[in-house]
Amino acid sequence: MSLLHQARFFTTVNHLRDLPPTAVPEVAFAGRSNAGKSSALNILCNQKRLAFSSKTPGRTQHINYFEIAHLEHLYGYLVDLPGYGYAEVGGGVKVHWQQLLGDYLVQRPQLRGLVLVMDSRRPFTDLDCELINWFMPTGRPIHVLLTKADKLTRQEATVVLRDTQKRLAALPRTDGLPSDDPATPPQFTAQLFSSLKRTGVDAAQSMLEAWLAIPARNTAKK
């Protein structure tokens, strides 16, 4: 069993000054409203309502922290960022939360990587691309979850994944590692994902566990 299954709500933050003063790793989840971010967090942590999935996209307007801990040892946090791109949110609220999201992504030293949730039927919206360009200068990795893959045929899913990986591979490295060394792992990765069919859950959990330095499942503390 993954230690991610023991995730639990820690705190809600509405201003950068209220971020936890901890040094443990953090992994952020970001994505366009209604792309399936809350559902992805819930299935990855094997919990039905860890992350609140609203019927009104854009309702989650704060940063929500979920701690990953076991036997008093805190491994890190999964950080659920506000969904972006929902037009019906009031202008002042939207400006505040977009600034909060952006400042967190760029300024938070504990951040180990970004999980970017994109609807596999509509990947790389303008706002997705803006977020990627905004985040890239940090030098941290991005892992794309192409959600709702169950809505695609097998051929469509293959094409979307291939095109996404090709597009990510064309991005310049910003982590300082050599791009011409075949042994260098990619900085930007992608996978198909379906919360409904549990497609890609194990692969995504492995990525999160690596970023949070969680021990291998057969050697985790008992």
Side-chain angles (χ1 to χ4, degrees):
M1 182 182 72
S2 172
L3 289 183
L4 296 173
H5 291 183
Q6 301 190 37
R8 60 183 180 181
F9 175 77
F10 177 68
T11 190
T12 293
V13 174
N14 195 33
H15 298 281
L16 287 183
R17 63 177 179 267
D18 298 325
L19 291 172
T22 52
V24 296
E26 298 176 6
V27 174
F29 281 70
R32 187 175 174 84
S33 296
N34 211 26
K37 177 164 58 68
S38 295
S39 297
L41 270 164
N42 287 336
I43 199 71
L44 287 168
C45 297
N46 198 37
Q47 299 183 42
K48 292 183 178 180
R49 289 185 63 81
L50 180 70
F52 181 70
S53 181
S54 173
K55 293 182 179 179
T56 304
R59 183 173 174 180
T60 304
Q61 299 166 11
H62 305 90
I63 294 177
N64 292 309
Y65 268 72
F66 305 102
E67 67 175 21
I68 310 298
H70 183 59
L71 295 179
E72 307 302 324
H73 181 83
L74 177 62
Y75 287 100
Y77 297 103
L78 301 182
V79 183
D80 186 12
L81 300 177
Y84 52 82
Y86 192 65
E88 293 185 18
V89 176
V93 172
K94 184 184 296 185
V95 169
H96 168 72
W97 110 53
Q98 287 178 343
Q99 183 175 1
L100 178 65
L101 182 153
D103 288 347
Y104 169 82
L105 288 174
V106 173
Q107 299 179 21
R108 187 67 168 168
Q110 295 91 326
L111 188 58
R112 294 296 182 268
L114 172 66
V115 176
L116 179 56
V117 179
M118 296 194 296
D119 189 326
S120 60
R121 299 165 297 176
R122 294 178 290 274
F124 293 105
T125 65
D126 289 345
L127 290 172
D128 293 327
C129 294
E130 286 181 20
L131 184 64
I132 291 172
N133 291 333
W134 201 352
F135 186 72
M136 280 178 57
T138 68
R140 301 184 181 103
I142 297 174
H143 185 62
V144 173
L145 292 186
L146 293 165
T147 58
K148 307 184 183 182
D150 55 283
K151 305 293 185 182
L152 305 177
T153 65
R154 181 173 296 183
Q155 181 177 2
E156 288 171 340
T158 299
V159 170
V160 167
L161 179 59
R162 183 184 64 222
D163 290 350
T164 299
Q165 290 173 330
K166 183 177 180 180
R167 189 161 178 170
L168 293 174
L171 296 174
R173 294 195 76 105
T174 58
D175 57 4
L177 297 178
S179 58
D180 55 352
D181 185 348
T184 302
Q187 183 181 356
F188 311 113
T189 52
Q191 67 165 101
L192 295 168
F193 193 87
S194 169
S195 299
L196 182 63
K197 300 292 186 180
R198 298 187 63 90
T199 303
V201 170
D202 286 345
Q205 286 177 334
S206 294
M207 177 69 73
L208 293 175
E209 289 165 353
W211 283 355
L212 294 175
I214 293 175
R217 298 182 194 185
N218 60 346
T219 61
K221 295 178 181 180
K222 298 181 179 180

